[in-house]
Amino acid sequence: MVKKRRAAIVCFTPTPTTIVCLFIDFLESLANILKMEDSSVSCAEHLGQYFSERDNSSNVILSSNVPDLCKTEKCCLGVDEAGRGPVLGPMVYGIAYCPLDKSDDLKKLGCADSKVLTEEKREELFGKLCEGKDYVGWAVEVISPNSICNSMLRRQKYSLNQVSHDSAIGLIKKAVEDGVNIAEVFVDTVGPADKYQEKLSKIFPEFKITVASKADATYPCVSAASICAKVARDRALQVWKFEDGIENPAEGWGSGYPNDPVSKKFLQKNIDHVFGFPQMVRMSWSTADKILQESAAPVEWEEEEDDTSGNTPSISSYFSATKSKKRATHPYFRERCLKSTVSI
C-alpha cells in the first residue's frame, strides 16, 4: 500500500559535531538567562530587549525577585495564560503573587483581565507591577511553538491541556522553591474547573486552591498574572527573529488567531514546499495543517497493510505465562543417552 503525506519536517541522525554544537548553543542560552538580572526587568522594553537576544525555539522562564514580605506574610498567587489559541507564536503562562492583605492594592493599580485592556495600558500596569517589588512578585514561562508542536504531534499524545497544566504546576512549584509563603492559589481554568481543582489540590494539599472560569476578571492576582503573560507574549512577537531567512512582513502577521485573514495570508506566503512553516508557526494547528496539505510537496512511502485478520497477538501476550509444547531433544543428547536433570 502506498500512502501519501505532506512534507513538513525532515528528520536526520545528528553527528557528534552537531551534538557538540547543540550543547554549546544550550550553554549559551543558559548563560543569557543567568546574565539577565530579575531586578533589571522594570518595564516591557526590558523584556523586548531580552527576547531579541535569545533563541525563539526553546522555552524560557523569567521571574522577578521575591519580595521579603512575600517570604514572611501569607500570600495569594494567581495563574493565567496568554496565547493559547493562536496558530502563531508562543504560549505564555504567568503567575503573580502578593500578601493576602495587599490584594486590594493590585485592584487599585487597575489590574484587570488583560483581554479588556489596551496594549499601552497593559505595559503601563506591567511597569507598576515591577515597581511594586516590595510586595509583588511574578514569573512567566514562554513556551515556544516548537515545544507545543513536538508535544502535540508525538506518538504518545501530549495535549495542549497537559502542556498548560504542567506549566502552571511548574510555576507554582518554582514559587514555593523560591520561598514564597503561599496560602491561597487562584487559577483561570483549562478544561473542567472541578477536575483541574481536584488535580491541583492533590499536588498542593497545603494550599487553598480555587480554579474558576474567567478568574482573570474576578481575582486581582490572576489579573496581574494575565497582564504579565500577555505583555511577555506581545514583546516576544514584536522582536521575533526568523532563523528561516524570512523578513518581517510590513503588514505584520495579524493577531495570530486562525480566523484572522492577515495571519492566514502570512501562512500562505511563508510556506516552504519541503520544510513547511517557519518556527513561529504551530504546525499542529488545523489551519496550518490544511495549508500544508494543499501547498506542500507530497511524500510517498510504502507501508504494510494493517492486519485485519484478528490474529495479531497483543503486546501483553508476550509477557504472560504460556504453556508451550515440549521441545524435542537434540540428536547429540539422544545418541549419548543424556537427559536433563534440572530445568532452568
Side-chain angles (χ1 to χ4, degrees):
M1 178 181 179
V2 176
K3 291 191 175 183
K4 293 185 177 181
R5 292 290 186 272
R6 296 288 168 173
I9 302 174
V10 174
C11 298
F12 64 94
T13 302
T15 64
T17 302
T18 304
I19 294 174
V20 171
C21 291
L22 290 172
F23 183 65
I24 292 173
D25 288 343
F26 165 75
L27 291 178
E28 289 177 348
S29 299
L30 181 61
N32 288 333
I33 295 172
L34 294 175
K35 284 191 297 184
M36 182 182 180
E37 298 180 1
D38 296 326
S39 58
S40 68
V41 183
S42 58
C43 60
E45 285 75 11
H46 291 158
L47 277 178
Q49 181 181 356
Y50 172 74
F51 288 127
S52 67
E53 297 173 353
R54 69 176 297 273
D55 179 10
N56 298 314
S57 65
S58 58
N59 298 352
V60 65
I61 294 178
L62 302 174
S63 62
S64 69
N65 290 325
V66 178
D68 290 337
L69 195 61
C70 293
K71 296 180 179 180
T72 56
E73 300 290 327
K74 291 185 177 181
C75 295
C76 58
L77 181 147
V79 183
D80 199 10
E81 53 76 26
R84 177 180 167 82
V87 67
L88 301 177
M91 177 172 70
V92 180
Y93 254 81
I95 61 170
Y97 50 86
C98 69
L100 293 172
D101 59 3
K102 294 286 186 180
S103 182
D104 286 342
D105 290 2
L106 294 180
K107 196 170 184 178
K108 291 176 183 177
L109 282 179
C111 289
D113 179 5
S114 65
K115 293 186 288 293
V116 303
L117 302 172
T118 64
E119 181 178 345
E120 292 76 18
K121 187 62 176 178
R122 287 194 298 266
E123 296 197 356
E124 176 190 337
L125 288 172
F126 179 73
K128 289 182 178 179
L129 290 173
C130 292
E131 291 170 3
K133 56 186 177 182
D134 292 336
Y135 70 96
V136 180
W138 58 268
V140 294
E141 180 178 18
V142 182
I143 306 170
S144 72
N146 268 12
S147 177
I148 294 172
C149 291
N150 291 340
S151 297
M152 297 181 67
L153 294 176
R154 70 189 190 184
R155 185 180 295 274
Q156 186 176 356
K157 296 298 182 182
Y158 184 53
S159 70
L160 190 63
N161 278 5
Q162 289 174 294
V163 174
S164 300
H165 288 187
D166 287 348
S167 180
I169 292 167
L171 288 173
I172 296 172
K173 287 182 176 179
K174 173 178 169 52
V176 173
E177 292 169 359
D178 289 344
V180 182
N181 185 15
I182 302 171
E184 300 181 16
V185 176
F186 301 92
V187 184
D188 195 40
T189 191
V190 172
D194 53 346
K195 291 183 179 180
Y196 192 12
Q197 181 168 314
E198 182 182 359
K199 177 180 179 178
L200 291 176
S201 297
K202 288 180 179 179
I203 298 173
F204 304 106
E206 67 273 30
F207 305 148
K208 180 183 177 182
I209 306 287
T210 301
V211 178
S213 177
K214 301 188 183 301
D216 48 359
T218 307
Y219 305 103
C221 57
V222 182
S223 301
S226 172
I227 291 168
C228 293
K230 180 62 175 171
V231 170
R233 172 177 155 82
D234 287 346
R235 282 294 170 164
L237 284 172
Q238 288 171 14
V239 297
W240 191 276
K241 292 188 302 182
F242 288 97
E243 304 293 342
D244 319 79
I246 297 174
E247 294 183 2
N248 289 344
E251 67 276 16
W253 40 72
S255 64
Y257 282 90
N259 59 353
D260 187 330
V262 179
S263 299
K264 284 186 178 180
K265 182 181 178 181
F266 173 82
L267 291 172
Q268 292 165 345
K269 186 178 179 181
N270 293 285
I271 181 173
D272 185 283
H273 292 290
V274 175
F275 296 103
F277 293 109
Q279 290 183 344
M280 175 188 268
V281 180
R282 304 179 191 177
M283 287 188 284
S284 50
W285 261 233
S286 59
T287 304
D289 182 64
K290 183 179 179 182
I291 296 175
L292 277 174
Q293 297 296 329
E294 295 172 349
S295 305
V299 176
E300 299 181 2
W301 70 92
E302 291 187 358
E303 186 174 288
E304 293 182 2
E305 293 279 2
D306 294 334
D307 187 349
T308 56
S309 64
N311 295 324
T312 304
S314 64
I315 293 178
S316 60
S317 67
Y318 292 101
F319 300 95
S320 60
T322 58
K323 295 182 178 179
S324 58
K325 295 181 180 179
K326 187 176 181 180
R327 291 188 302 173
T329 307
H330 192 276
Y332 176 87
F333 299 100
R334 288 202 306 268
E335 292 168 1
R336 290 163 178 78
C337 299
L338 296 176
K339 295 181 180 180
S340 60
T341 57
V342 178
S343 297
I344 299 178

